[in-house]
Amino acid sequence: MTWRPRLAEGTAPVLVVLLLLLVGLAIAGPAYDEPSGYLALLKRAAPLMILAIGQYFVIVSGGFDLSVGALVTAGVVIAARLIDGNESATTSVILLVLGFGLLVGLVNGLITTKLLVPSFIVTLGMLLVLDGATFLWTDGAPRGALSAGFRTFGRGALDVPVLGEVPWSVLILSAILVAAALFMRSGTGRALVAAGDNEAAVRLSGGQVDRLRLLGFVLSGLLAAVASILLGGFAGVSAQVGNGLEFRAITAVVLGGVLLGGGRGSVVAAAAGALSLEALFTLLNLLGVSGALESAVQGLIIIAAVAYASLGGGLRQRLRTRPKQRNTAQPAPS
Amino acid sequence: MTKRWALVAAASVLALAGCSSDLPEDTNPGAAASSGSDTRKSEFFDQAEYDRQLAFRNATPQGPEGKPWEQMLEPEMVDTTKFAKTGGKYTLCFSNAAVDNPWRQVGLKTMQQEVKLHPEISDFVVLDAEAKDDKQISDIQSLSGRNCSAIVISPNTTATLTPAVEQACATGVPVIVFDRGVNTGCPVTFIHPIGGFAFGANGAEFLTEKVKPGGKVLALRILPGVDVLEQRWAAANEIFAASELDVVGVEFTDGDAAKTKSIVADYIQREGEINGVWMDAGATAVAAVEAFQDAGVEVPAFVGEDQQDFLRLWVDEGLTAVAPTYPTYQWRTPVIAALKILKGEQVPKEWVLPQPRITGENVKQYVQQDMPPLHYAMCGCEGMPGYPGPWK
């Protein structure tokens, strides 16, 4: 018996794409000759990867979370106003921002599951509510300042033995990614995917679909709050920090081969999708392609990935020779 | 079932992505990219206006010393006796384009405090157009029926608001336009600092002095198509083209600090070194400086603006920098002008205010440690009663 690394379905293509992009970076940019260049890339990609992990939990269970970008902005603006340069307030404000993300996720989840409003509408509404509230509260110009302690997580690095200087954001990302991967292998994680695939089957087999979906939204909200702490730390106070991040996160998840509508895809692939997206933009910039192309590229990726997924079944059967008698229990079409 | 929903949702995501994207229509694909040889003149470049603005910088203003908001450059006075209205109890009306950025925030607060200085103004009506042309058009119309003694307008856009301003003029109430202009001569006075060409030139000239010939300059712009900002870049482009500086990139930042920082970090990697950074507005200057600090390289010559966070960093780190300003003290002038007009005193047809720049020699006097990081130093508000309360 030979050991093979177990990759969840759909992980391989995005890893190939990522590898190609990283090779491209090594050729295009002298900074990518050494590990520090890749570490810098990882540091920059960390907030998006964390958002993509959060978005994955919602998408794989059959929903959407469009509110994360606005939540990131709100988190940064709230933190700046409350900290106001006061170092001693750092810890409590970080906890407050995390709590705020949790709360927004909870509200999104409860309205979706209890009031049966499609998540697309709920989170779109939440996006507008948060945007409007942030604007109203700040009068359009964020006030206050973040403390050096708050900014450490997005800007600073920790001296790790063997590895040397590792940015805080990379460490936080690693911890979240490992936790997410372990969670998805647990019973609850599998049930979350199943809830997106076949709601009725999960319900009939005694699973709590509503609770699972609620969990997805809460995790997404919490991770968006983490991303806002990293982004605020990276670049300081800005009322534009979260603009368009929700679409970036969705693009990343789709690029990771996760099926829109739920039921298929791995969390590691979603994170790899986010890293690929960031690597792609960095590569385009290194090659001197205008930044205006970014949204066009994002659009193309979403269309191509969804088209691939809908063709998927037939295409895959044609491309792939039938695997020999593996004891995977394919869910029977209901 | 699931699959069909997925398609519907994906389509909606795409539609939304299209709406929310505020990226520019790029008329010259690739032009924004890195071409040091990009020396084409901007379509916003106007040689006569450019020469006029550059000359204004050295002109001696008329008016009280130390009060630049009351000063004027080469004024052409007009008679206002027909608007004279004795007795005070004026209702001053103001149609504001927006308060959606720190510059306008500081400005509006300064204007409100200026109004408080004049007891003869009994009522001050402010309508905020929220950066929407249609809202401002109806705002101006509703002001026309409000018994205003004078109407102050800060137009959202030039062409679209012109007819609305003309309508306001037709009511016989004196109209004062400031900040952005309109295409009509009907307002009694148009108040503005020297302008975008002078702003852009102040920064670009500084870089030609401080960066060695052949040095690499990165230009950061907020977004294309706004005439005030286009003028700044047009002037800088003109000066860079005539210099020996190598403009390695012209990038749009959307005014976003994180994007700015990433762009600058990319350029530091790509070019090895950057010797100067030009910006068309200073809001993200601190993020750009941090990109150099985080990369562990020396911060090069910088063009910022008069926001406190940048000025503090400048002093603390001993940067080589300059801050051209688009002074917020211009928000005091329309109130002063309105009262002059209502008293029948002469005002200039075009009231051009001085537009100072902050340099290494005088930066310390503009640093105010206790003010918010996004406060604009050039507000001319330090001597006002109640300072600093309302600006915090």
Side-chain angles (χ1 to χ4, degrees), chain A residues 79 82-95 145-150:
Chain A
L82 294 183
I83 291 181
D84 205 9
N86 181 4
E87 198 67 58
S88 61
T90 307
T91 318
S92 50
V93 170
I94 286 178
L95 292 175
L146 299 169
S147 61
F150 187 94

Side-chain angles (χ1 to χ4, degrees), chain A:
Chain A
M1 229 169 70
T2 52
W3 181 84
R4 279 200 281 158
R6 278 198 306 149
L7 284 177
E9 190 195 359
T11 313
V14 70
L15 290 182
V16 172
V17 170
L18 181 58
L19 199 68
L20 288 176
L21 286 168
L22 293 181
V23 171
L25 278 178
I27 296 168
Y32 294 96
D33 290 347
E34 35 189 317
S36 65
Y38 290 99
L39 217 51
L41 174 70
L42 208 56
K43 174 184 171 186
R44 194 190 301 169
L48 183 64
M49 291 172 77
I50 291 171
L51 280 177
I53 292 171
Q55 190 70 240
Y56 166 83
F57 290 130
V58 177
I59 286 185
V60 88
S61 62
F64 277 101
D65 192 348
L66 296 180
S67 66
V68 290
L71 183 52
V72 166
T73 306
V76 171
V77 169
I78 290 172
R81 180 101 172 235
L82 294 183
I83 291 181
D84 205 9
N86 181 4
E87 198 67 58
S88 61
T90 307
T91 318
S92 50
V93 170
I94 286 178
L95 292 175
L96 188 101
V97 169
L98 293 176
F100 181 69
L102 212 70
L103 182 74
V104 170
L106 195 67
V107 171
N108 280 337
L110 284 176
I111 296 178
T112 306
T113 53
K114 301 296 174 206
L115 301 183
L116 302 179
V117 183
S119 62
F120 192 78
I121 303 300
V122 176
T123 55
L124 183 62
M126 186 57 84
L127 180 161
L128 297 172
V129 168
L130 287 175
D131 263 359
T134 310
F135 189 87
L136 203 68
W137 195 48
T138 59
D139 288 332
R143 263 168 278 172
L146 299 169
S147 61
F150 187 94
R151 295 205 54 186
T152 307
F153 297 107
R155 212 185 158 190
L158 188 70
D159 214 355
V160 177
V162 186
L163 290 172
E165 291 261 296
V166 181
W168 269 106
S169 49
V170 175
L171 296 174
I172 293 171
L173 167 71
S174 315
I176 290 175
L177 189 59
V178 169
L182 290 178
F183 170 71
M184 289 316 290
R185 293 199 168 183
S186 73
T188 318
R190 285 171 199 276
L192 192 70
V193 182
D197 191 29
N198 193 334
E199 195 183 325
V202 175
R203 196 163 282 146
L204 289 175
S205 58
Q208 303 256 18
V209 176
D210 282 2
R211 252 187 228 181
L212 289 166
R213 291 213 167 129
L214 184 64
L215 180 67
F217 281 105
V218 168
L219 287 174
S220 177
L222 182 64
L223 290 177
V226 174
S228 89
I229 292 170
L230 296 188
L231 276 171
F234 176 63
V237 194
S238 152
Q240 282 91 28
V241 61
N243 285 1
L245 276 182
E246 59 282 335
F247 295 112
R248 224 167 236 230
I250 292 174
T251 310
V253 170
V254 171
L255 185 62
V258 179
L259 192 66
L260 286 184
R264 203 165 301 147
S266 92
V267 67
V268 177
L275 184 56
S276 305
L277 200 61
E278 202 67 40
L280 177 66
F281 291 148
T282 308
L283 182 62
L284 288 178
N285 189 297
L286 280 173
L287 295 175
V289 178
S290 159
L293 260 180
E294 279 187 18
S295 46
V297 169
Q298 256 174 264
L300 285 178
I301 290 173
I302 297 191
I303 296 174
V306 174
Y308 175 79
S310 354
L311 281 177
L315 200 66
R316 249 177 312 218
Q317 273 184 359
R318 260 177 281 152
L319 291 181
R320 197 202 291 160
T321 51
R322 203 162 252 279
K324 281 176 213 159
Q325 277 274 306
R326 255 203 259 146
N327 80 13
T328 46
Q330 288 283 341
S334 49

Side-chain angles (χ1 to χ4, degrees), chain B residues 80 82-85 91-93 148-153 168-169 171-177 186-189 337-339 341-342:
Chain B
T80 64
K82 66 167 173 168
F83 296 115
K85 195 177 165 191
T91 302
L92 185 61
C93 301
C148 301
S149 310
I151 301 179
V152 176
I153 299 171
C169 292
T171 61
V173 174
V175 173
I176 298 151
V177 170
C186 84
V188 183
T189 178
L339 291 172
I341 293 166
L342 292 170

Side-chain angles (χ1 to χ4, degrees), chain B residues 250-321:
Chain B
V250 184
E251 297 286 347
F252 294 110
T253 64
D254 297 337
D256 174 16
K259 191 166 176 193
T260 305
K261 199 167 175 180
S262 299
I263 289 171
V264 177
D266 285 343
Y267 270 90
I268 297 170
Q269 279 184 1
R270 178 159 123 197
E271 302 293 336
E273 63 167 358
I274 296 287
N275 309 102
V277 175
W278 181 92
M279 304 185 88
D280 69 354
T284 57
V286 170
V289 171
E290 282 181 3
F292 287 93
Q293 292 176 330
D294 290 3
V297 297
E298 203 183 325
V299 182
F302 243 85
V303 179
E305 215 180 330
D306 56 328
Q307 285 180 309
Q308 284 301 328
D309 58 353
F310 180 67
L311 299 183
R312 273 178 221 155
L313 189 70
W314 179 352
V315 171
D316 291 348
E317 302 288 320
L319 302 182
T320 306

